[in-house]
């Protein structure tokens, strides 16, 4: 527990100021997070990130993460993001031929899903922040932290019924409900103590929805790890595991948060 707290304090001291500052340092941080997350997922599948398919996956992720204000960097070459995804699919299929099916269609499907899973979440993290949504980003962080903490402590003290033991044996229904309640309380506090431009009724509803989807994101990553027989996605955060272990919930939440930001504006 001591190691977890120390890591959390140091990570927050680095992460939050960069998020608040924004601009290029924030985009670089987002790219680093996404690249490490891709590395962690490929490692579960025992695919090297420096293999041809690993390099294509990382390059495709970097293209997907390009913010709107810099999209002309690739559009000047005559291709849209969607067309780059098509090109990547063709290259992946070429790999299956060149390797005589040592790289299988299952591997290719995994690679595409991995890139889209990580890319979708972090792209909307970047877009929301870069379009003036700092308050919304901070809101999402506090909502997920409250959900995780509430689920953990309430689950430990009151949890009796298992939520989904086949995927995550320690999670309980009581803990999941407690996480949603804590998220709603944080939503109330944000309404009164921040400049978030959303009515209290809508904010309470959204807080509950984000808490639920955040827990689904956590379970989705747990399913990944259980399927591939690993305890943690990585070791970059001592006491916490990898980037995915800390941001799995937010990868589900940030696309929904972007919609909220648009509605709020």
């Amino acid at each position: 527990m001591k190691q977890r707290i120390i890591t959390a304090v140091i990570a927050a001291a680095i992460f939050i100021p960069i998020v608040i500052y924004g601009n290029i340092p924030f985009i670089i941080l987002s790219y680093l997070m996404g690249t490490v997350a891709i590395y962690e997922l490929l490692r579960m599948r025992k695919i090297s990130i420096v293999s041809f398919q690993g390099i294509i996956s990382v390059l495709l992720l970097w293209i997907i993460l390009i913010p709107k204000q810099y999209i002309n960097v690739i559009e000047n070459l005559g291709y849209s993001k969607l067309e780059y995804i098509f090109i990547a699919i063709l290259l992946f299929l070429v790999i299956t031929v060149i390797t005589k099916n040592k790289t299988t269609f299952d591997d290719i499907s995994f690679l595409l899903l991995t890139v889209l899973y990580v890319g979708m979440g972090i792209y909307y993290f970047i877009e929301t922040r870069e379009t003036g949504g700092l308050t919304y980003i901070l809101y999402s962080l506090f909502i997920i932290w409250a959900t995780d903490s509430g689920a953990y402590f309430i689950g430990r003290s009151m949890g009796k019924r298992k939520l989904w033991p086949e995927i995550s044996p320690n999670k309980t229904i009581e803990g999941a409900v407690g996480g949603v309640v804590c998220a709603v309380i944080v939503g109330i506090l944000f309404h009164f103590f921040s400049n978030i431009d959303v009515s209290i009724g809508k904010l309470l509803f959204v807080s509950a929805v984000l808490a639920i989807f955040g827990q689904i994101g956590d379970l989705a990553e747990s399913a990944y790890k259980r399927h591939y027989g690993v305890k943690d996605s990585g070791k970059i955060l001592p006491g916490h595991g990898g980037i995915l272990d800390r941001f799995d919930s937010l990868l589900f939440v940030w696309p929904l948060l972007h919609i909220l930001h648009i509605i709020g504006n």
Side-chain angles (χ1 to χ4, degrees):
M1 180 62 72
K2 181 179 179 181
Q3 180 66 70
R4 287 175 63 89
I5 294 172
I6 293 172
T7 300
V9 170
I10 294 174
I14 296 171
F15 180 75
I16 293 179
I18 293 176
V19 171
I20 292 173
Y21 181 77
N23 301 309
I24 297 300
F26 168 72
I27 294 175
I28 292 173
L29 174 65
S30 301
Y31 268 72
L32 287 174
M33 288 168 50
T35 303
V36 173
I38 290 289
Y39 165 76
E40 291 174 350
L41 285 165
L42 294 185
R43 191 174 65 90
M44 289 186 201
R45 183 81 178 189
K46 294 182 170 57
I47 298 174
S48 172
I49 198 170
V50 295
S51 64
F52 188 47
Q53 55 267 44
I55 292 171
I56 293 174
S57 300
V58 171
L59 291 176
L60 182 58
L61 173 74
W62 290 354
I63 289 172
I64 290 174
L65 295 186
I66 295 175
K68 286 182 180 178
Q69 66 264 40
Y70 302 116
I71 197 65
N72 62 305
V73 172
I74 59 171
E75 288 185 343
N76 287 342
L77 299 176
Y79 298 100
S80 66
K81 285 187 178 183
L82 184 59
E83 288 169 324
Y84 278 105
I85 294 175
F86 291 155
I87 292 171
I89 292 173
L90 292 176
L91 290 173
F92 283 142
L93 293 175
V94 168
I95 293 171
T96 65
V97 176
I98 293 175
T99 62
K100 298 180 180 180
N101 217 31
K102 288 182 180 178
T103 298
T104 66
F105 281 99
D106 287 344
D107 292 326
I108 301 308
S109 300
F110 172 84
L111 290 167
L112 287 171
L113 181 59
T114 291
V115 172
L116 293 176
Y117 166 45
V118 175
M120 177 183 66
I122 295 186
Y123 171 76
Y124 284 111
F125 174 51
I126 295 172
E127 274 305 304
T128 302
R129 176 62 187 90
E130 290 301 286
T131 53
L134 174 59
T135 300
Y136 290 83
I137 292 296
L138 296 176
Y139 163 73
S140 71
L141 294 175
F142 280 103
I143 286 293
I144 293 305
W145 290 339
T147 302
D148 289 347
S149 299
Y152 177 76
F153 288 109
I154 293 174
R156 287 197 64 179
S157 61
M158 301 174 57
K160 295 180 180 179
R161 293 170 293 178
K162 297 298 182 180
L163 177 64
W164 208 317
E166 295 83 3
I167 293 178
S168 187
N170 294 326
K171 288 182 171 57
T172 63
I173 294 175
E174 292 82 2
V177 173
V180 174
V181 171
C182 290
V184 169
I185 293 172
V186 168
I188 294 173
L189 295 175
F190 248 82
H191 175 76
F192 289 107
F193 296 104
S194 78
N195 62 346
I196 195 165
D197 188 21
V198 181
S199 67
I200 187 168
K202 186 182 294 181
L203 197 61
L204 295 183
F205 173 75
V206 170
S207 297
V209 170
L210 294 186
I212 292 170
F213 271 85
Q215 293 186 72
I216 292 173
D218 188 20
L219 287 170
E221 204 246 338
S222 294
Y224 259 100
K225 292 189 292 186
R226 185 160 291 273
H227 179 73
Y228 291 107
V230 298
K231 182 178 183 296
D232 295 318
S233 65
K235 299 178 180 179
I236 195 171
L237 299 171
H240 291 265
I243 289 293
L244 279 173
D245 293 315
R246 289 301 89 207
F247 289 91
D248 49 5
S249 299
L250 289 160
L251 290 178
F252 270 60
V253 163
W254 281 327
L256 296 175
L257 183 74
H258 187 68
I259 296 172
L260 172 64
H261 181 220
I262 292 173
I263 293 174
N265 288 337

